[in-house]
Amino acid sequence: MRVYVPLTLSGLAEAYRTGELGAGRFPAYGVTPALREWYPSEYAEDQEYAALGFAALASLRLLAADAGAPRRRVVVAVDVPDGAVSADPAGPGALWVDGPVRLDRAAAVHVDAADAEPDVTAAAQALPAADGGDDGAQSVVDGAEEHELLWYATQEIPNLLGPAV
């Protein structure tokens, strides 16, 4: 099963250093029965894209909790055995992955472009108010979603992380 693991660039650096995603059970997103019900589509790619979007929002939540992380959302797409995942009732597409999962099993890494950083920064700051029902703050959070995550091959991870790797 293809799952989408939300991270930050700091989290990606740690996964690159250790060669593993997660030290144990960790959250991810994928095409689950709940997501299929929430987003019916005849195209599996549409549902995969929705799962990626949920993971991007979860990455934004990680950024909101880590003021020191670079302000770019990161999602790692990785294939795991079906038996390694269990549904998380937190929402459509939410999963738990029994880890760790070797980073070399990743299919791709999705990361914001540098020009998204101002909008991602604002969205991370607005997230608590948006969660509280503030429509203006929700609009700011939605602004980050207007930036498409860029696709990178796993061989490009060192370039994404820069000279510190």
Side-chain angles (χ1 to χ4, degrees), residues 3-6 26-30 51 55 76 78 85-86 88 93-97:
V3 299
Y4 299 91
V5 181
F26 60 89
Y29 295 83
V76 176
V78 62
V85 299
S86 56
D88 179 349
L95 297 167
W96 288 104
V97 177

Side-chain angles (χ1 to χ4, degrees), residues 61-77:
R61 291 187 181 289
L62 293 173
L63 291 172
D66 183 359
R71 306 282 94 181
R72 293 167 75 185
R73 298 169 299 163
V74 177
V75 176
V76 176

Side-chain angles (χ1 to χ4, degrees), residues 118-146:
D119 289 335
V120 171
T121 299
Q125 292 170 343
L127 197 55
D131 286 345
D134 183 318
D135 290 339
Q138 184 61 52
S139 179
V140 173
V141 171
D142 293 344
E145 293 177 10
E146 293 176 12

Side-chain angles (χ1 to χ4, degrees), residues 1-90:
M1 174 179 202
R2 168 83 32 106
V3 299
Y4 299 91
V5 181
L7 292 175
T8 62
L9 281 172
S10 304
L12 181 62
E14 177 67 13
Y16 184 76
R17 186 184 66 71
T18 64
E20 295 181 331
L21 290 167
R25 190 174 194 219
F26 60 89
Y29 295 83
V31 179
T32 63
L35 187 136
R36 285 186 190 100
E37 183 178 322
W38 175 81
Y39 185 29
S41 175
E42 64 183 274
Y43 302 107
E45 294 85 9
D46 291 343
Q47 294 167 334
E48 292 279 342
Y49 189 74
L52 174 64
F54 282 125
L57 179 58
S59 175
L60 184 64
R61 291 187 181 289
L62 293 173
L63 291 172
D66 183 359
R71 306 282 94 181
R72 293 167 75 185
R73 298 169 299 163
V74 177
V75 176
V76 176
V78 62
D79 296 318
V80 298
D82 290 346
V85 299
S86 56
D88 179 349

